[in-house]
Each structure stands twice: as structure tokens, then as C-alpha cells.
Amino acid sequence: GVYGLTVLDLTMASLPPPADLQGEYVRAVWVSGPRAFMADGSGYLFSGHLQVAEFTAPLSLDVVASASYATRGVPQDIKVVGNYAYLADGEEGLQIFDVGNPAAPSFVGATGDDHAVGVAVDGDRAFVISTRNGLLVFDVSPPATPVLLGTLEVENPYQVRAGGGRVWVGGAAGLQAIDASDPAHPYVIGTYAFGAPLGFPARFAVAGDHAYIATHFPSLLIVDFGVPAAPVLAATVSVPGPAFAVDVQGAFAYVAS
């Protein structure tokens, strides 16, 4: 948002005060080790920035570098893998930046007008979801010139995850598990329909064969995709208020509600 990135210390028993506020119109952020990568842009200004910030102390965040680029898009999602940052930039599709030298990030390539709203990266494949074109699979081994390998029609996609040769997409049909081992012909191998009570969109995280779905109901759903063609609800966990987002690290699930 317009106030940038807020850093909170969640180890404190009471609600902690915000730490440094950085950037303007920050729309997407990814934290990797001691750095935060922030994408900002409002669309109508026809310019955007990828900012790299470093945690100089647990609650001190300083912007150390920024790369400007021309865009009509509004950042929707960002992932950093290895030396590259992959930005789903709305109308401008996928934007790729070299962040191998965090002090001097640079724009290296883009896919074009794909209306990208999410991105996931697995190896040299980037999986982009588009409100216009569904799921798009790109070879990003040449980051300056991404190559479209295949597509899959998905209605109203809004979130994507990838790993272990499998892609997960949340959309109007629910949470879909997709086999993309043949990138030219990705196909759905299983779907867990959200249903009307869950609210839409329902954000999700994946760990192993289990998907963790944050719902507006309010609850966290744990769905077993061990048999992808027949996913089953393994558990429902009540949370205090509607759940808007979830992440899973190790044995813990972190729910924003």
C-alpha cells in the first residue's frame, strides 16, 4: 500500500509497534534471508521499482538499492529464486530482474501482455497465472527471453504455488493440482471445490501432500491430496475470525485472520 512495508516483532506478548516504513505503493514483497524485495507501482504513473532492503537489525530495515522500469502494470506477486526476482506485474505480465548483486538489481526480461496476477518458480520453469490466459508455463533458463512452453485454461485464477513437479492453482473451480511434468501439456489431476460457504478467494499453502486453505468461514481447512484425483478433507481448524492468508513452515501453520 501507500505506506510501504511494515515490520513487526511477533515474539512480543503485546501488540508490537511498527518498525520502519519503506517505499511507496508497495504491492508485493518477498523476504529471503537478511533481505526484503519490494515491488511498487500504481499503474497510472507508467513506472515501477524493485527495491532491495536489508535488515540491519531485527526491527531496522534500510533500502539499499532500487531498479526502475517502465510499466503500465500494478505488481501482484513476487518470488525470488537464486539470483533472480520474478514479478507478476498485472497488465505487463512477468518481469524478471537480476538480483545477484543486491546492491545493483537490474531488469533483464519480460513476457509481455499477460495480465499476470501470480507467479511460482520451480527450477527453470516459471508458472504464471493470468486473468486472461489461465496458467502459462515459461522456460526462464534464458531470463532475458522467457519462452512460453504451454498453457492451461483456468477460470479466475488468483494464487499459484509450485514444487516437486506439481503446480497448485486457486481459482473459480477451487484448488487444482496440476501435473506440469510435460510443460507443453499441463493437465489437472485433482480438484478440491471450495463451495459457497468458504468465501472467495480462499488463499492456500501446500506442504507435502497436504493443502492448507484459509477461508472466510472462519476456519483453516487441511486437505489431503495423497490421491490427487480424490482429495479429501482431513481436518478443519477453527480460527478467531475470517482467515485471509496462510503459510506453512515446518510443523507450524501461520494464519492471518
Side-chain angles (χ1 to χ4, degrees):
V2 296
Y3 295 108
L5 176 66
T6 302
V7 183
L8 302 175
D9 183 354
L10 300 180
T11 64
M12 298 175 63
S14 60
L15 184 64
D20 294 340
L21 302 177
Q22 302 287 347
E24 185 176 1
Y25 291 105
V26 172
R27 307 281 185 171
V29 62
W30 182 262
V31 177
S32 178
R35 298 184 181 91
F37 299 85
M38 302 175 290
D40 68 58
S42 59
Y44 64 86
L45 296 177
F46 297 99
S47 67
H49 304 87
L50 175 70
Q51 300 186 73
V52 182
E54 291 189 351
F55 291 92
T56 54
L59 286 180
S60 180
L61 189 66
D62 297 322
V63 174
V64 296
S66 178
S68 300
Y69 59 100
T71 180
R72 297 169 298 146
V74 176
Q76 303 291 317
D77 191 17
I78 186 172
K79 300 291 188 300
V80 177
V81 179
N83 291 330
Y84 294 95
Y86 302 85
L87 173 64
D89 196 33
E91 292 184 33
E92 294 286 356
L94 178 66
Q95 309 264 15
I96 303 176
F97 299 82
D98 186 339
V99 293
N101 178 2
S106 59
F107 172 80
V108 294
T111 62
D113 185 12
D114 293 321
H115 286 247
V117 295
V119 60
V121 180
D122 187 16
D124 58 5
R125 301 284 186 264
F127 302 91
V128 177
I129 50 173
S130 161
T131 55
R132 174 180 290 176
N133 300 312
L135 175 69
L136 301 97
V137 185
F138 290 95
D139 180 354
V140 291
S141 57
T145 54
V147 178
L148 179 63
L149 301 177
T151 64
L152 177 67
E153 183 177 348
V154 179
E155 183 181 358
N156 295 329
Y158 61 85
Q159 186 184 0
V160 60
R161 300 279 183 118
R166 187 173 293 180
V167 183
W168 309 79
V169 176
L175 178 57
Q176 296 182 309
I178 297 167
D179 186 329
S181 55
D182 177 1
H185 303 95
Y187 63 95
V188 176
I189 56 177
T191 300
Y192 183 80
F194 294 148
L198 298 189
F200 180 84
R203 312 297 289 186
F204 67 90
V206 178
D209 289 329
H210 290 86
Y212 301 80
I213 303 171
T215 79
H216 296 179
F217 198 42
S219 59
L220 176 69
L221 305 184
I222 303 176
V223 179
D224 186 346
F225 272 87
V227 180
V232 296
L233 180 63
T236 301
V237 181
S238 296
V239 296
F244 296 100
V246 60
D247 195 14
V248 175
Q249 298 291 331
F252 294 92
Y254 300 85
V255 181
S257 65

